[in-house]
Amino acid sequence: MSKILTYLAVQDGKIKRASLEVLSHCRALAQEHGWTVESVLLHPDARSLATTAQQYGAETVYYMDHPQLQAHLNAPFLAALHAVITHANPHVVAFASSEAVKDMLGALAVRTQAAVLSDVASFHIIAGGVEAKRPVMASKLIARTQAQGARVLVSVRAGAYTAEEAPTEAALVPLPFTFDVDTLKQQVREVVQDALGTLDLSETQVVVAAGRGVKDEAGKALVTQLADTLGAAIGASRAVVESGLFPASAQVGQTGKVVSPDLYIAVGISGAIQHVAGMQNSRVIVAINKDGDAPIFNYATYGLVGDLYAVLPPLINEIKQVLPTTPE
Ligand SMILES: Cc1cc2nc3c(=O)[nH]c(=O)nc-3n(C[C@H](O)[C@H](O)[C@H](O)COP(=O)(O)OP(=O)(O)OC[C@H]3O[C@@H](n4cnc5c(N)ncnc54)[C@H](O)[C@@H]3O)c2cc1C
């Protein structure tokens, strides 16, 4: 029987939401085509994380637990994935798109003799391969691409699918991690959190993003307060990253991160196509802008025309009334 293997990336001791989204989609594809869906976990605590993979429908979970698999480094993760793919022999290997995955995909394709479709918005199985849709030219166009072959690697943007529980009695299969750690030329000493806090833009359900309308530290404090009240991650347009008000890690858009939270609040952002490319798949978009003709309102579910310095303080107070405790 043909099979799909999904790679479940781990961050802060939890399987990333984006990986569970990909697993849910692969489970649906497997059901549709009579395939099986399996998962792979690489982490020092992989065995205990496997129960989450079972909850989301993996039929078999391969895992390697080794201290070297705590923080991402290409060489050990490539070796581990190569070994799991050789062992499991899947036709399709699906990943949630991330910087780490982008970094590994080419080398993994060479080692496993696979074709690659990277950073796609959606994919499905066709005779002899995989067909995917990928936004191109700052999402102005959608390219339909196909990869044919005995093995296809595909990475999918966060938010493309919904993670849905579908508990299984998955077989848990430990595999040995045989990488020689003495050959490593780099080490991860520390993973540094940026100044905007610990919430990962691509993993949170709510994002509050600031644009050039946020002119100073007082504006930034308002955006931060709104984000803290909602338990949201903070995003930014390129304009305020270039001005130095927000770190590059917060940039959303064509040359920043692609996010698709349940709620995206764009504060003082005009809605340039390069920004929209990174957030237009958010489920609900709220735009706050003093210019009623700003293009962001074309994408917004709800729009608030007004000066953010006047709008945000009462809005934050109102939210605090209905949401008295800060969400986890
Ligand atoms: C190759 C390329 C790649 C790019 N990649 C990205 C990317 O990844 N991400 C990105 O964001 N941009 C990117 N850009 C830049 C993009 O084109 C825009 O310049 C940028 O998104 C504009 O940011 P902004 O909306 O914050 O600023 P502006 O376009 O200047 O908009 C500011 C908005 O704030 C409003 N405003 C002003 N004062 C207030 C106030 N007091 N209250 C309420 N509203 C107010 C204004 O009405 C205006 O609509 C890229 C550009 C290029 C050429």
Side-chain angles (χ1 to χ4, degrees):
M1 191 188 279
S2 300
K3 61 170 89 159
I4 312 181
L5 179 72
T6 71
Y7 169 58
L8 302 178
V10 179
Q11 185 172 306
D12 300 331
K14 284 197 304 204
I15 297 176
K16 291 179 83 172
R17 180 172 67 104
S19 292
L20 295 174
E21 292 168 2
V22 174
L23 171 54
S24 288
H25 175 58
C26 290
R27 183 174 40 77
L29 287 179
Q31 264 168 6
E32 187 187 332
H33 295 272
W35 289 23
T36 54
V37 60
E38 303 185 335
S39 291
V40 46
L41 270 164
L42 309 173
H43 190 264
D45 204 13
R47 174 70 178 76
S48 62
L49 292 167
T51 49
T52 308
Q54 286 176 311
Q55 251 174 292
Y56 283 83
E59 290 163 68
T60 302
V61 184
Y62 302 101
Y63 67 93
M64 287 185 188
D65 41 18
H66 190 278
Q68 190 59 50
L69 297 168
Q70 176 73 42
H72 184 87
L73 270 179
N74 281 351
F77 276 76
L78 268 170
L81 281 170
H82 183 194
V84 176
I85 292 170
T86 306
H87 177 88
N89 196 23
H91 288 75
V92 175
V93 188
F95 303 77
S97 202
S98 69
E99 293 306 318
V101 166
K102 257 184 230 170
D103 228 18
M104 291 192 297
L105 227 44
L108 192 61
V110 172
R111 291 188 195 187
T112 59
Q113 310 227 308
V116 182
L117 291 169
S118 67
D119 209 26
V120 304
S122 64
F123 76 96
H124 62 272
I125 291 161
I126 54 168
V130 170
E131 183 173 272
K133 288 186 178 161
R134 182 194 290 125
V136 292
M137 316 274 289
S139 297
K140 278 192 202 137
L141 298 174
I142 303 288
R144 206 168 61 202
T145 53
Q146 284 187 5
Q148 298 278 341
R151 177 129 56 232
V152 180
L153 314 182
V154 56
S155 69
V156 192
R157 292 182 175 194
Y161 299 105
T162 307
E164 279 169 16
E165 292 194 23
T168 52
E169 295 288 324
L172 304 185
V173 181
L175 291 176
F177 176 70
T178 53
F179 180 77
D180 179 2
V181 292
D182 293 336
T183 62
L184 266 181
K185 295 195 173 70
Q186 314 103 323
Q187 312 173 1
V188 179
R189 293 227 173 123
E190 191 188 355
V191 178
V192 182
Q193 301 290 354
D194 67 42
L196 285 179
T198 53
L199 290 174
D200 180 343
L201 262 181
S202 48
E203 288 288 300
T204 48
Q205 310 286 356
V206 185
V207 172
V208 176
R212 209 192 314 259
V214 178
K215 292 188 177 58
D216 48 22
E217 289 296 336
K220 183 176 175 180
L222 286 173
V223 167
T224 308
Q225 225 182 317
L226 178 60
D228 288 349
T229 308
L230 290 167
I234 296 178
S237 73
R238 184 155 120 179
V240 283
V241 169
E242 283 178 350
S243 75
L245 201 54
F246 289 84
S249 59
Q251 186 175 319
V252 171
Q254 184 189 338
T255 44
K257 290 190 174 132
V258 176
V259 300
S260 46
D262 288 341
L263 174 62
Y264 188 91
I265 305 182
V267 183
I269 291 177
S270 62
I273 187 73
Q274 295 89 354
H275 184 81
V276 169
M279 46 66 78
Q280 65 185 342
N281 287 332
S282 306
R283 290 195 177 92
V284 173
I285 297 172
V286 175
I288 301 172
N289 197 303
K290 68 178 182 186
D291 174 7
D293 292 326
I296 191 72
F297 289 120
N298 297 331
Y299 304 93
T301 326
Y302 301 100
L304 233 160
V305 180
D307 183 333
L308 69 94
Y309 289 86
V311 167
L312 287 186
L315 180 66
I316 292 164
N317 278 338
E318 281 298 319
I319 294 171
K320 280 184 177 160
Q321 302 299 317
V322 291
L323 206 70
T325 48
T326 306
E328 284 296 303

